[in-house]
Structures are given as C-alpha cells and as structure tokens.
Amino acid sequence: MIITKKKPIGDILRSLEGETNVFIVGCGECATVTQTGGEKEVAEMVAQLEAAGKKVVATDVVAANCQELDLKRILRKHREAAEQAEAFLVLSCGAGAQSLRAATDKHVLPGTDSLFLGNTQRSMDFVEKCSLCGDCVLDEYGAICPVTRCAKGLLNGPCGGTSHGKCEVDPEMDCAWVLIHEQLKREGREDKLTRTHAPKDWNAIAHPGTLKERKDKPEAK
Ligand code: SF4
Ligand code: SF4
C-alpha cells in the first residue's frame, strides 16, 4: 500500500489562503489504513478547517482515490457542492490527488505527503521492502531486496560498515546483506554470493510509468 503522513495544518491553511469553500476527499484504501485520510481523519480535518474560518461544502471518502473514474463519479454525485467549492483538499496519496486533478479544473491540494510503497507489519507499523525498480532481481538475493533494504542499494554487498548485523547508516536497521547471506545459507544457495552482479538497468523504470493492456476481442466465428 502507499504510505502517507499528514501534512501540518499550517501548510494546508497557507495553501487555502484567500479561499473559503473547501471540498474534502478521503480514501477508503491506503489512506484509511495509514490513518491519514479515512472517515475519522476527514472529520478531524472538517473541525480544523471550520475552526480556521473555512466552510466545508462537502466531504466524501472514495473507495479508492487512484481510480480516476470514481473521482469523476463523486463530483457528479456532489455536483452542487463541487460547483460551490473553491478548493478540493485530498487526504490520500499524490496519485489520488491527481485523479481529482483529472476530474476538475479547480484548485486541488494534497493533505498528505506520500512516502513509499509499504508492507504492513502490524497496525500502524509499515516498512518499505520494494521500491518498484521495474526489473525484479529478488531471486538472486533470497527474496530480500538489496535495492530497497540496503541503505546504499548495493547489488554486490555488503559494504565495509556492517556491524553486528546492523547497518552503518542506521544502527536500528538490520543490514540487508547480512539478512541476504543468512537466507541464502538456509536455502543452501550460497553460491549466489560468489557472483558479481552487473549494474542495474534503470531504464526499466523511466517515468512516468505506463502499462496498457487491451485484450483483443475474440474473432467472431
Ligand atoms: S528488485 Fe527490489 S525494488 Fe526491484 S521490483 Fe524487486 S523487490 Fe522491488
Ligand atoms: S551496512 Fe549493510 S544495509 Fe547498510 S549500507 Fe552497508 S551493506 Fe547496505
């Protein structure tokens, strides 16, 4: 899921300077789980904006803000409020805010900062294990990603800074290369550690990423 954190209310109010009528859009997926844009956070934002003299013309927590067609449907559902709104405050990731961008020409502002694609370890405990490099090499590394989990992204590690299994960049964090070594040992595939890996081909993730797959209709018989 996409991990987000709330923007400070002062930053949001600065962005809303000169505007009164605000429409707040939350997200029922990632932003609900990360507690940045679910029903509760939307209600809290209403209270904060109203305390600052703003008028909240409507709120909605969309099933998933990254579904662009859903955002268009929401604006049709709240047509009158959408017309009154001077600004749309989006409590979800940046992708969600840009879904709304595609649905209206008005001022759209994010209420969160988007951080990373995260695994949920337990409630409100998230960790980045994949940074979407576009060319997955996990099989070479015991399914522990050095691109993401090694602070230096080393494909041929470890560096000289490993200490007692921890990373020199953050001593609270396990050294990914110690984890990789231990895992490959458990699998009896330590020979992988003797290989030298070529630099990664970063062209695999040229931005913006796109993927379109259209299945051709079966030919009529
Ligand atoms: S190599 Fe790492 S960053 Fe790349 S796709 Fe695989 S898990 Fe994700
Ligand atoms: S100590 Fe380990 S995880 Fe940290 S940068 Fe060096 S090899 Fe990577």
Side-chain angles (χ1 to χ4, degrees), residues 129-138 145-148 200:
K129 293 193 171 178
C130 170
S131 43
L132 308 175
C133 75
D135 175 22
C136 194
V137 291
L138 275 181
C145 176
V147 180
T148 310
K200 233 172 145 22

Side-chain angles (χ1 to χ4, degrees), residues 4-219:
T4 51
K5 70 177 170 60
K6 292 177 187 174
K7 273 192 182 293
I9 186 67
D11 289 1
I12 293 172
L13 290 174
R14 258 190 300 283
S15 292
L16 288 172
E17 239 168 50
E19 294 168 326
T20 303
N21 295 345
V22 184
F23 190 136
I24 304 175
V25 182
C27 175
E29 291 278 351
C30 310
T32 290
V33 177
T34 56
Q35 300 179 13
T36 54
E39 299 281 358
K40 179 169 165 276
E41 295 74 35
V42 167
E44 285 167 3
M45 183 57 70
V46 171
Q48 285 178 304
L49 292 187
E50 288 182 349
K54 305 291 178 192
K55 181 178 176 197
V56 176
V57 293
T59 67
D60 207 321
V61 176
V62 182
N65 275 2
C66 48
Q67 298 283 348
E68 297 201 352
L69 289 178
D70 281 357
L71 270 296
K72 290 182 179 158
R73 273 194 283 274
I74 288 299
L75 293 203
R76 282 200 297 274
K77 177 176 143 196
H78 298 280
R79 190 184 303 274
E80 207 175 306
E83 278 166 13
Q84 281 174 24
E86 295 164 279
F88 290 84
L89 173 60
V90 185
L91 302 185
S92 74
C93 67
Q98 290 178 76
S99 290
L100 198 62
R101 168 75 298 142
T104 174
D105 289 332
K106 293 191 178 179
H107 180 197
V108 172
L109 66 146
T112 73
D113 293 313
S114 301
L115 301 175
F116 54 88
L117 170 66
N119 286 23
T120 307
Q121 304 195 121
R122 55 186 69 82
S123 177
M124 292 305 286
D125 179 357
F126 309 106
V127 63
E128 184 181 28
K129 293 193 171 178
C130 170
S131 43
L132 308 175
C133 75
D135 175 22
C136 194
V137 291
L138 275 181
D139 192 46
E140 287 299 305
Y141 302 98
I144 294 164
C145 176
V147 180
T148 310
R149 298 174 67 181
C150 166
K152 296 174 189 171
L154 298 178
L155 293 184
N156 298 287
C159 71
T162 308
S163 175
H164 303 291
K166 298 294 179 187
C167 174
E168 71 168 343
V169 175
D170 178 357
E172 298 289 306
M173 197 167 69
D174 289 330
C175 168
W177 271 97
V178 170
L179 299 179
I180 290 168
H181 190 248
E182 287 171 351
Q183 181 56 39
L184 288 174
K185 220 163 41 176
R186 281 193 287 273
E187 292 178 29
R189 299 199 303 152
E190 285 163 283
D191 59 305
K192 290 205 172 269
L193 293 166
T194 62
R195 295 182 198 163
T196 303
H197 297 279
K200 233 172 145 22
D201 174 11
W202 291 104
N203 285 332
I205 48 153
H207 291 295
T210 55
L211 177 67
K212 282 188 194 178
E213 275 187 44
R214 289 211 181 112
K215 295 216 168 64
D216 292 332
K217 285 185 187 158
E219 279 175 30

